[in-house]
Amino acid sequence: MPLQTIAPRRLYRQIADQLRTLIERGEFAVGSRLPPERDLAVQLGVSRPSVREALIALEVEGFVEVRMGSGIYVCKRVATRERRVTAEAPLETIRARQLIESELAAHAARHMKKAQIAGLRDAISQMEADVIDGTLPTAGDRLFHVRIAEASDNSVLLRIVTELHDERHNPLFAKFGSHFENTKSWGIAIAEHRSVVDAIASRSPQAARSAMSFHLHNSHARFTANWTNDGSEVAIVRRVTPRKTA
């Protein structure tokens, strides 16, 4: 029998596979509510964000249903459920973007020309127009972040930022968005984008770095916010104030 290649599995996938096995064995009956995220995280010895990614993956696959304000419930199995999700982990992707794009914002503060800064403001205007029209402002959001990466004049960094941003179209990321993104959250995100532009325009690398880090930290926090009202979970959104520059 020929040997088969051993493929590394993402952490959320390992968690999802364990939970799926328990569901299939009847450990969690159809219609029952799964334990709170924090309890699952403790039992599995992993972080709560990783548990959330696993639960969202199981929802995409049709094993569970997320009921905002109530919890996660086991669904009746159907033959037409989605194929197994193997996409990049959204929360890890956001953290990677935070590390990379914060430095790119600092670089932009040193090197961006006035016309390029105007291009960032145009991207924000596009986002605002889309929100008013009831459209997800993802095109303007992508344009904003790509234009900051373009200011680096580094094709590798531009490719990395573009690919990381485009992960938001994978099914796992899209499901996160359906739960946690809305007109209000996008309004807050647009204000954060505006702060990044103001910091870049002020020619302060430290302020630009902090503003971008603040924005992507909050993007992560919005995807890990409380989704139950029964007291079994607590909100984990934390506001981080950028350091003031002299």
Side-chain angles (χ1 to χ4, degrees):
M1 180 177 179
L3 295 174
Q4 297 181 355
T5 301
I6 298 175
R9 291 186 299 163
R10 295 179 174 88
L11 179 57
Y12 83 82
R13 186 67 263 169
Q14 297 178 53
I15 299 168
D17 287 346
Q18 283 199 51
L19 293 174
R20 189 193 71 250
T21 298
L22 292 175
I23 291 171
E24 291 177 330
R25 289 177 179 173
E27 296 288 339
F28 298 115
V30 171
S32 66
R33 187 170 67 175
L34 293 182
E37 282 181 350
R38 75 162 168 244
D39 292 351
L40 289 172
V42 170
Q43 292 178 48
L44 291 163
V46 297
S47 68
R48 288 177 63 173
S50 294
V51 170
R52 174 156 298 188
E53 288 170 334
L55 293 172
I56 295 291
L58 289 175
E59 184 185 24
V60 172
E61 295 166 359
F63 285 96
V64 302
E65 176 188 3
V66 175
R67 300 179 189 173
M68 300 298 286
S70 180
I72 315 297
Y73 292 81
V74 178
C75 295
K76 183 177 180 179
R77 293 181 62 192
V78 291
T80 57
R81 67 175 181 266
E82 295 275 352
R83 294 176 62 185
R84 185 173 300 187
V85 174
T86 58
E88 293 290 353
L91 299 175
E92 288 189 356
T93 298
I94 294 172
R95 286 303 192 206
R97 290 184 58 199
Q98 183 180 9
L99 289 172
I100 296 167
E101 295 189 48
S102 296
E103 288 306 313
L104 287 174
H107 183 276
R110 299 186 188 96
H111 301 285
M112 257 194 164
K113 297 178 173 59
K114 289 183 178 180
Q116 292 174 304
I117 294 173
L120 296 181
R121 298 195 192 281
D122 288 341
I124 293 175
S125 295
Q126 181 178 336
M127 293 176 70
E128 292 171 328
D130 284 344
V131 170
I132 292 173
D133 290 340
T135 303
L136 287 176
T138 52
D141 182 44
R142 183 183 190 277
L143 183 61
F144 179 89
H145 289 278
V146 167
R147 282 179 171 171
I148 289 177
E150 287 174 341
S152 68
D153 288 325
N154 186 305
S155 62
V156 175
L157 286 170
L158 176 59
R159 174 174 55 80
I160 290 171
V161 169
T162 301
E163 290 179 356
L164 287 175
H165 193 281
D166 287 347
E167 282 296 325
R168 73 159 22 254
H169 299 300
N170 76 49
L172 188 55
F173 216 123
K175 182 61 73 173
F176 263 94
S178 71
H179 287 306
F180 299 105
E181 292 181 328
N182 50 48
T183 300
K184 181 179 179 180
S185 70
W186 274 111
I188 295 171
I190 288 171
E192 292 165 4
H193 283 71
R194 195 175 294 112
S195 294
V196 172
V197 179
D198 290 343
I200 290 173
S202 74
R203 302 301 180 187
S204 170
Q206 183 178 357
R209 181 185 297 109
S210 295
M212 181 63 83
S213 180
F214 175 62
H215 163 53
L216 290 170
H217 168 88
N218 282 352
S219 294
H220 187 280
R222 284 186 278 272
F223 275 6
T224 52
N226 179 37
W227 59 18
T228 68
N229 294 326
D230 63 357
S232 63
E233 297 284 350
V234 293
I236 57 176
V237 178
R238 300 181 179 88
R239 184 171 181 80
V240 176
T241 303
R243 292 177 295 178
K244 295 182 179 179
T245 57

